[in-house]
């Protein structure tokens, strides 16, 4: 159900004439950026820094959800980054929080091959009901209780796995899309969403502010330069498009492909792959990163010491736009600070070759 954003990035002229008009920068925005790059305005903090609002449990939720399950929904909703009341609503709709006596809930499978309190297909879980987490497998099997085994019938393991699946498929931003992939029927999505609203004291399913397309403009306006604004505008316009290994657009991208294309949209040439983008930019200490910089992760194929396998582009402090993987859902804005495998940050705009490109574009604009 991936859909392209309606707003399309503005075209860039070959010489980038309008892009590099001379603007005097504020000293607060000049850190490691040439003075001729221009500056942006201040963004709304609710768009740039907001997280999914914390939901309090309603009286209905407190009375209907077993205390141990409620604790697990909240724990793994927070840990993985999805709405706890959506997790709880899935648990309710599937097995009444594990209380159902239907086939497959506590042992075996039902007629569709699903098992456990969150009703995973055995194949989706990883191929069998109990999986040693030290083994290689392809699925959402998770170890929520720390015993080293992903057990499809264990509530902690199953709820953590469900949270991971929802996250990979678009939650918390595109939560309806994530629910549709969980069980491909819109009536199911509607039912789960209605249950989730009833479990929250606010009566709503909250989404993070960056899920609102209206938040793109403030992110662009807050860019430290006109060049970065143009890069961000292109990258953000790709939200909702699918991941494709080796993709550089226009219909799909991989993690480094969207960055490569975004810089090209600003008239700049940088390396194409994650492995070559990593040594290209000037290294930036964590905490000094800003929009347009890149964040690299010790994750993905071919990863090793000083050899990152995944990259995202900073859109604001703590937020990045990324094309993560085929199973991870569409291109979207996500958080990076909670991930434990950050390898480092770079600033491609400070590479000597890019500085020369910028000077040529500036001269062409004069």
């Amino acid at each position: 159900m991936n859909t392209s954003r309606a707003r399309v990035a503005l075209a860039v002229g070959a010489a980038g004439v309008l892009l590099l008009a001379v603007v005097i920068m504020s000293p607060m925005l000049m850190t490691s950026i040439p003075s001729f790059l221009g500056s942006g305005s201040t963004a709304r903090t609710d768009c740039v820094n907001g997280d999914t609002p914390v939901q309090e449990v309603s009286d209905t939720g407190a009375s209907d959800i077993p205390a141990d399950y409620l604790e697990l929904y909240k724990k793994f909703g927070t840990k993985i980054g999805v709405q706890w009341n959506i997790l709880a609503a899935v648990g309710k709709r599937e097995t009444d929080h594990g209380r159902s006596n239907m086939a497959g809930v506590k042992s075996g499978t039902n007629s569709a091959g699903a098992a456990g309190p969150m009703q995973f297909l055995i194949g989706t879980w990883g191929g069998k009901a109990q999986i040693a987490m030290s083994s290689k497998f392809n699925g959402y099997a998770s170890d929520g209780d720390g015993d080293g085994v992903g057990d499809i019938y264990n509530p902690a393991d199953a709820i953590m796995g469900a949270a991971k699946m929802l996250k990979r498929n678009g939650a918390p931003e595109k939560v309806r899309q994530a629910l549709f992939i969980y069980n491909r029927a819109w009536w199911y999505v509607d039912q789960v969403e209605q249950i989730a609203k009833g479990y929250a004291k606010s009566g709503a399913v909250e989404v993070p502010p960056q899920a609102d397309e209206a938040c793109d403009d403030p992110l662009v306006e807050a860019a430290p330069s006109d060049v970065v604004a143009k890069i961000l505008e292109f990258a953000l316009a790709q939200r909702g498009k699918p991941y494709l290994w080796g993709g550089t657009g226009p219909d799909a991208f991989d993690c480094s492909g969207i960055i490569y294309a975004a810089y090209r949209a600003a008239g700049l040439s940088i390396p194409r792959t994650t492995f070559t983008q990593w040594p290209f930019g000037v290294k930036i200490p964590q905490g000094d990163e800003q929009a347009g910089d890149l964040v690299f992760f010790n994750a993905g194929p071919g990863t090793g010491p000083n050899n990152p396998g995944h990259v995202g582009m900073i859109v604001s402090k703590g937020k990045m736009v990324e094309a993560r993987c085929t199973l991870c859902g569409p291109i979207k804005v996500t958080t990076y600070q909670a991930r434990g495998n950050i390898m480092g940050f770079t600033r491609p705009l400070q590479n000597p070759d890019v500085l020369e490109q910028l000077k040529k574009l500036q001269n062409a604009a004069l």
Side-chain angles (χ1 to χ4, degrees):
M1 299 301 296
N2 296 334
T3 57
S4 299
R5 291 168 46 81
R7 184 170 55 81
V8 180
L10 296 176
V12 180
V17 174
L18 295 177
L19 173 64
L20 293 168
V22 180
V23 180
I24 299 175
M25 291 183 65
S26 163
M28 292 298 290
L29 298 177
M30 290 181 65
T31 306
S32 301
I33 296 287
S35 60
F36 60 79
L37 297 189
S39 64
S41 62
T42 302
R44 298 200 310 267
T45 56
D46 59 338
C47 283
V48 176
N49 299 317
D51 292 317
T52 307
V54 177
Q55 292 277 48
E56 293 185 35
V57 63
S58 66
D59 291 341
T60 298
S63 63
D64 186 53
I65 306 170
D68 55 343
Y69 270 72
L70 179 58
E71 181 180 351
L72 292 171
Y73 293 137
K74 288 185 173 182
K75 175 182 178 181
F76 293 115
T78 299
K79 181 174 183 178
I80 305 302
V82 303
Q83 297 91 334
W84 73 262
N85 55 324
I86 285 291
L87 273 177
V90 171
K92 174 66 174 181
R93 177 61 183 77
E94 296 291 351
T95 68
D96 193 20
H97 310 300
R99 294 177 293 207
S100 172
N101 292 318
M102 295 186 303
V105 177
K106 299 176 176 66
S107 64
T109 65
N110 65 15
S111 59
M118 303 302 280
Q119 289 292 279
F120 271 96
L121 295 174
I122 294 293
T124 304
W125 186 251
K128 55 184 179 180
Q130 287 84 26
I131 298 176
M133 301 309 293
S134 59
S135 64
K136 291 184 178 180
F137 63 92
N138 183 20
Y140 292 100
S142 303
D143 181 18
D145 63 356
D147 66 356
V149 176
D151 184 348
I152 203 169
Y153 304 105
N154 180 285
D157 296 354
I159 291 170
M160 184 178 184
K164 288 162 62 175
M165 183 175 181
L166 291 168
K167 177 73 172 180
R168 286 193 172 188
N169 288 314
E173 294 92 347
K174 297 182 180 294
V175 68
R176 286 182 58 83
Q177 169 188 282
L179 288 170
F180 181 81
I181 295 172
Y182 199 96
N183 189 333
R184 292 180 177 273
W186 287 113
W187 59 260
Y188 175 89
V189 174
D190 292 339
Q191 286 184 8
V192 170
E193 190 172 38
Q194 192 62 36
I195 295 169
K197 290 178 180 178
Y199 280 165
K201 193 172 184 178
S202 68
V205 175
E206 301 284 2
V207 296
Q210 66 266 24
D212 186 347
E213 293 183 3
C215 285
D216 286 0
D217 290 337
L219 288 172
V220 173
E221 291 166 6
S225 72
D226 290 343
V227 170
V228 174
K230 184 57 64 176
I231 292 169
L232 292 187
E233 189 165 27
F234 179 91
L236 290 168
Q238 312 316 308
R239 291 197 325 176
K241 293 183 180 180
Y243 174 93
L244 176 66
W245 187 83
T248 55
D251 298 321
F253 299 83
D254 66 10
C255 66
S256 56
I258 186 175
I259 294 168
Y260 172 76
Y263 273 76
R264 286 192 65 182
L268 302 172
S269 177
I270 66 171
R272 160 67 185 88
T273 67
T274 303
F275 300 137
T276 52
Q277 287 175 1
W278 169 242
F280 182 79
V282 172
K283 300 297 187 294
I284 302 298
Q286 186 164 3
D288 291 346
E289 70 274 12
Q290 60 187 24
D293 292 344
L294 308 184
V295 53
F296 293 85
F297 298 87
N298 182 16
T303 292
N306 203 38
N307 195 37
H310 181 59
V311 61
M313 181 191 296
I314 309 296
V315 296
S316 68
K317 190 63 67 70
K319 309 289 184 183
M320 66 179 173
V321 61
E322 66 171 339
R324 190 170 181 181
C325 69
T326 303
L327 295 177
C328 300
I331 295 168
K332 58 185 175 181
V333 172
T334 61
T335 61
Y336 61 82
Q337 290 175 323
R339 296 192 191 177
N341 55 355
I342 294 177
M343 188 171 288
F345 300 82
T346 71
R347 186 165 294 160
L349 288 176
Q350 279 297 294
N351 177 276
D353 182 54
V354 174
L355 290 174
E356 285 301 315
Q357 294 178 51
L358 289 167
K359 288 180 181 178
K360 291 179 180 179
L361 290 173
Q362 181 199 24
N363 291 335
L366 298 178

